[in-house]
Amino acid sequence: MGTPFNKAFGAGVLAAALMLPSAAWSAGALNVDARAYTCSQISQIIRQSKKVFVRSGFGGSSFRYPPAKCGLGYARTTANFRDKTGKQCALDYACTYDSGSFYNNP
């Protein structure tokens, strides 16, 4: 058995270890507003920055370049949104949460 401090410290270390992958993903991603750029500009930003979160409306999509680098628990898919000119963009290298993944099931 340990002291209450040791138990709390251990729980804190465990929580930090579990949160590290999601924190590392969000910390390195560049946030881009889809309505501020054209489709070709957004594609170029993704290629240059490698990790980008494109905001479109209330939500958004995470992109990684090259596409094969989606993290565990994520699937490669196509994301559709409108750019600053109102044109429909379809980008094929989005990494979306995969609820059917082995890594996302308890």
Side-chain angles (χ1 to χ4, degrees), residues 61-63 67 70 74-79 91-97:
S61 299
S62 295
F63 294 87
C70 288
Y74 289 85
R76 180 180 169 194
T77 188
T78 302
L91 299 178
D92 68 346
Y93 34 82
C95 294
T96 59
Y97 179 80

Side-chain angles (χ1 to χ4, degrees), residues 52-69:
V52 177
F53 183 80
V54 178
R55 297 201 175 279
S56 55
F58 290 113
S61 299
S62 295
F63 294 87
R64 294 194 77 155
Y65 191 83
K69 292 193 174 190

Side-chain angles (χ1 to χ4, degrees), residues 7-74:
K7 289 181 183 178
F9 180 75
V13 170
L14 178 63
L18 292 174
M19 294 298 291
L20 186 61
S22 61
W25 167 255
S26 63
L30 175 68
N31 285 310
V32 173
D33 181 11
R35 301 215 182 245
Y37 299 95
T38 64
C39 294
S40 60
Q41 288 172 328
I42 293 171
S43 294
Q44 185 66 26
I45 291 169
I46 293 169
R47 278 196 230 52
Q48 289 176 345
S49 299
K50 306 294 184 206
K51 291 194 294 187
V52 177
F53 183 80
V54 178
R55 297 201 175 279
S56 55
F58 290 113
S61 299
S62 295
F63 294 87
R64 294 194 77 155
Y65 191 83
K69 292 193 174 190
C70 288
L72 300 175
Y74 289 85

